[in-house]
Amino acid sequence: MSKTAVKTSRALAWLAGLALLLWLLGIGLRQVALTLDPNETKVVELLQLQARPHDVLYLGNSVAFQGINPKVIDDACGVTSYNLAVGGSSPIEQDLILRAYLRHNPAPKLVVIGVTPNLGAFGDDLRPTVYLALEAPEKSYYAQFLQENGLPPLPFSDEIAMRVPAYRHRTTLEPMLKFFVRGEARRPSFVQGHLTYREVGAVPARLPAQRAGLDVAGLRSCLDTCQEHGVPALIVELPNSPSFNKSVVERDGAMKLLHELIDGRQGVSFVSFNEDGGPEFDRADWLGTNHFNSRGAEKFSALLAPRIDSKLRNAL
Amino acid sequence: MLFNSLQFLIFFPIVTAAYFSLPHHWRWLLLLLASCWFYMSFVPAYILILAITIVVDYIAGIWIERSDGRRKKLFLILSILANVGVLATFKYYEFFAENIEALLAAIGSPRELPPLSNFYDAAAAGISGALSQVGIQWKSPPVRLLLPIGLSFHTFQAMSYTIEVYRGRQKAERDFGIFALYVLFYPQMVAGPIERPQNLLHQFRDYHAFNYDRLVAGLSLMTWGFFKKIVIADRLAQVVDRVYDQPDQYYGPQVLLALYCYAFQIYCDFSGYSDIALGSAKVMGFDLMQNFRRPYHAASIVDFWRRWHISLSTWFRDYIYFPLGGDRESTLRWYRNLLIVFMVSGLWHGARWTFVVWGLLHGLAMIAFLASESLRDGCWRTLGKALPIAWLRRPVGILLTFHFVLLTWIFFRASSLHDVQTIFQQLFAADGWRHSLRALVSPYELLVAVTMVAAMELAHFVEARNEQVQPYFVWLPRGTIRQWTLMYALLIAILLFGEFRDQEFIYFQF
């Protein structure tokens, strides 16, 4: 065999080896993601929902994902509900999840949108699994949303990279490491889309300044979707820990944006559980700075239930 | 376009494939057009500024060679003034204007100097007026006058050409296209290394046959550069940016962590860029100069500057330090020369007092080191007689040098002297050390960052043990299981741990 042929075959073998390794890694990470990353498992579950009628749907990020227990509200209000929230999701991602849900399921009687202005704006990115699972109309909607709001389009490089499973599921490494370090105690469980953790987590007494913010465009998109389907919306500000609230700056600005967004909108109302004088929660209710554990979620959901009940009655 | 972008990953193989496909006498043209395309992907209009300086330096080089005596010097001065003038206008005008205004206000004669955009408007109005005289209506486009990318690098590279021609160490380049390519060569034009004409110019005329080993070495070097940039530098940037953007919000261990992170961020960012530049040039058969040599393994500040940004430090040595007299003068003048070189070096990095102070600190450290040489030697000799600690000299030197450089990086990164003050205050605040690192970075992120830096340092250790100048991945024996495993590990690390948010390279701002 000539030297060129030897070198060419060696290069090809190397590339084939790399491709095989990436493929195996992708498979492995996907399995780990589905086992250990609650957000990944949740996204797969909710995108598979078909013809499942629910009276109430909950949208939001991880604070809502862990903070709203549908079963408590169902028992209190006599409804059926489902928690559509996904950790780390931006409002536009929540809207696209809602749109995808409504494409295959009947519209609910009420949508509850969990907002967390004290955590700041989340941006307009989508989790790769969500983006890839969207159908063409939702993808076009997203592209249009970015354009209308003066945001850069999704880079082509991202579209390609998302299709590589090893890249798409690389965020799994962190929960995998946590699982090995902490063991079974931290494994999550789902009920009606609600993520529960039994542990009590540390809440630092002092935190660096956190700038409040709001993803106005994404939230507006959520409300527009509700309006298009004739579904009333209840925007709920979930509680944060007192030490976190103390560290927040520019909250007034974010709340002003929120009120400007919902003022005058028919069928939309707002309630905050995070203002001064609001409900207090024990140290034992928190998993971390802003997330309830199962005990805190039950308590909060019990406080939320009458608001939902009232909203549903008004809608009737 | 950035090296760490999809556009470059498409651009590079196409240009390289075209390069080896073309006959030799057309290759320079391909590289020139590709380099223009590369540069114009940032701000297209700024290629005109480059074109002007290229024309000036090309003509100056020929006239310098043809002339002698005073005329020779005059053409050199004109060339340098043209380059420095462009640099001063775009990079330093606003800085000097602000400081002059502050000075005038301090002495009771407040006055506002016109912003740089006024000069553009005036020039544009002049051109528009002249064109309208001949019946052409032209309206100047609105332009936000930004610093042309890589300006400091290619002006210095161009100046080294005219100076070397003046000194008779380089023949003037008669081929305009080759000279333009010397200034514009895309792997190194934006952030170095700052090449010398003796090393680079002739390479554009040399025939480079496709060589598989060079291809593998070049790609390995590029991969190593991408690893340092995407996995380490851009990851550490998130911690650094949080602290430096709001220094009054972080304390003690948080600030300290950010300092260590920045030390490795700036090294990995800049050396990563250099590795990608050297690697992409190597693939095509070009050898660029080494720009870094394990700088944090330096045992003294003198050693550090032989290892960090070598192309810039040698440029200052050859074109400012030696002409000032270097160390051939009296001791005081020698120290003065060192201070001048380092302060100018600081200013080269940016139009801010923090950079000047950074340069000054390094200059003072250099002087202190040189002035105390006999004292230090004496101390170690004395201690060495009492205890078997001679072997400690180098490790202690490395630790002290690294931490001195780490502290001076505060001036380099901070936006203002006020922020520098805040950072030192927060670092040494009485109750600051009660604050947890968790408020700044998650344990997972910290673990990944530390692991990757440790992996990089392990590679450096292996290089040092083998007395290699080139990075480990370049001279790793090819075709072995070890090489394949390590390359796979590098690529997978980039895929799994890389930050792909199109973060610019730090030295692009210079």
Coordinates of all heavy atoms in Angstrom, one line a residue, chain A residues 261-288:
Chain A
L261 N -48.0 45.6 30.9 CA -48.3 44.5 29.9 C -49.7 44.0 30.1 O -50.4 43.7 29.2 CB -47.3 43.4 30.1 CG -47.4 42.2 29.2 CD1 -47.1 42.6 27.8 CD2 -46.4 41.1 29.6
I262 N -50.1 43.9 31.4 CA -51.4 43.3 31.6 C -52.6 44.3 31.7 O -53.8 43.9 31.6 CB -51.4 42.3 32.8 CG1 -51.0 43.1 34.1 CG2 -50.4 41.2 32.6 CD1 -50.9 42.2 35.3
D263 N -52.3 45.5 32.0 CA -53.4 46.5 32.1 C -54.2 46.6 30.9 O -53.7 46.7 29.8 CB -52.8 47.9 32.4 CG -52.4 48.0 33.9 OD1 -52.7 47.1 34.6 OD2 -51.8 49.0 34.2
G264 N -55.5 46.5 31.1 CA -56.4 46.6 29.9 C -56.6 45.3 29.2 O -57.4 45.3 28.3
R265 N -55.9 44.3 29.5 CA -56.1 43.0 28.8 C -57.2 42.3 29.4 O -57.2 42.0 30.6 CB -54.8 42.1 29.0 CG -53.8 42.4 27.9 CD -52.9 41.2 27.7 NE -51.8 41.5 26.8 CZ -51.6 40.9 25.7 NH1 -52.4 39.8 25.3 NH2 -50.6 41.2 24.9
Q266 N -58.2 41.9 28.6 CA -59.3 41.2 29.1 C -58.9 39.8 29.4 O -58.2 39.1 28.7 CB -60.4 41.1 28.0 CG -61.3 42.4 28.0 CD -62.7 42.0 27.6 OE1 -63.0 41.1 26.9 NE2 -63.6 42.7 28.3
G267 N -59.5 39.4 30.6 CA -59.3 38.0 30.9 C -58.0 37.7 31.6 O -57.7 36.5 31.9
V268 N -57.2 38.7 31.8 CA -55.9 38.5 32.5 C -55.8 39.2 33.8 O -56.2 40.4 34.0 CB -54.7 39.1 31.6 CG1 -53.4 39.0 32.2 CG2 -54.8 38.5 30.2
S269 N -55.4 38.5 34.8 CA -55.3 39.1 36.1 C -54.0 38.7 36.8 O -53.3 37.7 36.3 CB -56.4 38.8 37.1 OG -56.8 37.4 37.0
F270 N -53.6 39.4 37.8 CA -52.3 39.2 38.4 C -52.4 39.1 39.9 O -53.1 39.8 40.5 CB -51.3 40.4 38.0 CG -50.0 40.4 38.8 CD1 -49.1 39.4 38.5 CD2 -49.8 41.4 39.7 CE1 -47.9 39.5 39.2 CE2 -48.6 41.4 40.4 CZ -47.6 40.5 40.1
V271 N -51.6 38.2 40.5 CA -51.5 38.1 42.0 C -50.1 37.9 42.3 O -49.4 37.0 41.7 CB -52.5 37.1 42.5 CG1 -52.1 35.7 42.1 CG2 -52.5 37.1 44.1
S272 N -49.6 38.5 43.3 CA -48.2 38.3 43.8 C -48.2 37.7 45.2 O -48.9 38.2 46.1 CB -47.4 39.6 43.8 OG -46.2 39.4 44.4
F273 N -47.4 36.7 45.4 CA -47.2 36.1 46.7 C -45.8 36.4 47.2 O -45.2 35.8 48.1 CB -47.3 34.5 46.6 CG -48.7 34.1 46.3 CD1 -49.2 33.9 45.0 CD2 -49.6 33.8 47.4 CE1 -50.5 33.5 44.8 CE2 -50.9 33.4 47.1 CZ -51.3 33.2 45.8
N274 N -45.2 37.5 46.6 CA -43.8 37.9 46.9 C -43.7 39.3 47.4 O -42.6 39.8 47.5 CB -43.0 37.6 45.7 CG -41.5 37.4 46.0 OD1 -41.2 36.9 47.1 ND2 -40.6 37.8 45.2
E275 N -44.8 39.9 47.7 CA -44.7 41.3 48.2 C -44.5 41.3 49.7 O -44.8 40.3 50.3 CB -46.0 42.1 47.8 CG -46.3 42.2 46.4 CD -45.5 43.2 45.6 OE1 -44.6 43.8 46.2 OE2 -45.8 43.5 44.5
D276 N -44.1 42.5 50.2 CA -44.0 42.6 51.6 C -45.4 42.4 52.3 O -46.4 42.9 51.8 CB -43.5 44.0 52.0 CG -42.0 44.2 51.6 OD1 -41.3 43.2 51.5 OD2 -41.6 45.3 51.4
G277 N -45.4 41.7 53.4 CA -46.7 41.4 54.0 C -47.4 40.2 53.4 O -48.4 39.8 53.8
G278 N -46.7 39.5 52.5 CA -47.3 38.3 51.8 C -47.1 37.1 52.8 O -46.5 37.2 53.9
P279 N -47.4 36.0 52.3 CA -47.3 34.8 53.1 C -45.9 34.5 53.5 O -45.0 34.7 52.7 CB -48.0 33.7 52.2 CG -47.9 34.2 50.8 CD -47.9 35.6 50.9
E280 N -45.7 33.9 54.7 CA -44.4 33.6 55.1 C -44.2 32.1 55.0 O -45.1 31.3 55.3 CB -44.1 34.1 56.5 CG -44.0 35.6 56.5 CD -43.6 36.2 57.8 OE1 -43.2 35.4 58.7 OE2 -43.7 37.4 58.0
F281 N -43.0 31.7 54.7 CA -42.7 30.3 54.7 C -41.5 30.0 55.6 O -40.6 30.8 55.8 CB -42.3 29.9 53.2 CG -43.5 30.0 52.3 CD1 -43.7 31.3 51.6 CD2 -44.4 29.0 52.1 CE1 -44.8 31.4 50.8 CE2 -45.5 29.2 51.2 CZ -45.7 30.4 50.6
D282 N -41.6 28.8 56.1 CA -40.5 28.3 57.1 C -39.2 28.0 56.3 O -39.3 27.7 55.1 CB -40.9 27.1 57.8 CG -42.2 27.3 58.6 OD1 -42.4 28.5 59.0 OD2 -43.0 26.3 58.7
R283 N -38.2 27.9 57.0 CA -36.9 27.4 56.5 C -37.1 26.0 55.9 O -36.5 25.7 54.9 CB -35.8 27.4 57.6 CG -34.5 27.9 57.1 CD -33.5 28.0 58.2 NE -32.2 27.5 57.6 CZ -31.8 26.2 57.7 NH1 -32.5 25.3 58.4 NH2 -30.6 25.8 57.2
A284 N -37.9 25.2 56.5 CA -38.1 23.8 56.1 C -38.9 23.7 54.8 O -39.1 22.6 54.3 CB -38.8 23.1 57.2
D285 N -39.4 24.8 54.3 CA -40.2 24.8 53.0 C -39.3 24.9 51.8 O -39.8 24.7 50.7 CB -41.2 25.9 53.0 CG -42.3 25.7 54.1 OD1 -42.6 24.5 54.4 OD2 -42.8 26.7 54.6
W286 N -38.1 25.3 52.0 CA -37.2 25.7 50.9 C -36.2 24.6 50.5 O -35.6 24.0 51.4 CB -36.5 27.0 51.1 CG -37.3 28.2 51.4 CD1 -37.7 28.7 52.6 CD2 -38.0 29.0 50.4 NE1 -38.5 29.8 52.4 CE2 -38.7 30.0 51.0 CE3 -38.0 28.9 49.0 CZ2 -39.5 30.9 50.3 CZ3 -38.7 29.9 48.3 CH2 -39.5 30.9 49.0
L287 N -36.0 24.4 49.2 CA -35.0 23.5 48.7 C -33.7 24.4 48.5 O -32.6 23.9 48.6 CB -35.4 22.8 47.4 CG -34.4 21.9 46.8 CD1 -34.2 20.7 47.6 CD2 -34.8 21.5 45.4
G288 N -33.9 25.6 48.1 CA -32.8 26.5 47.8 C -33.3 27.9 47.9 O -34.4 28.1 48.5

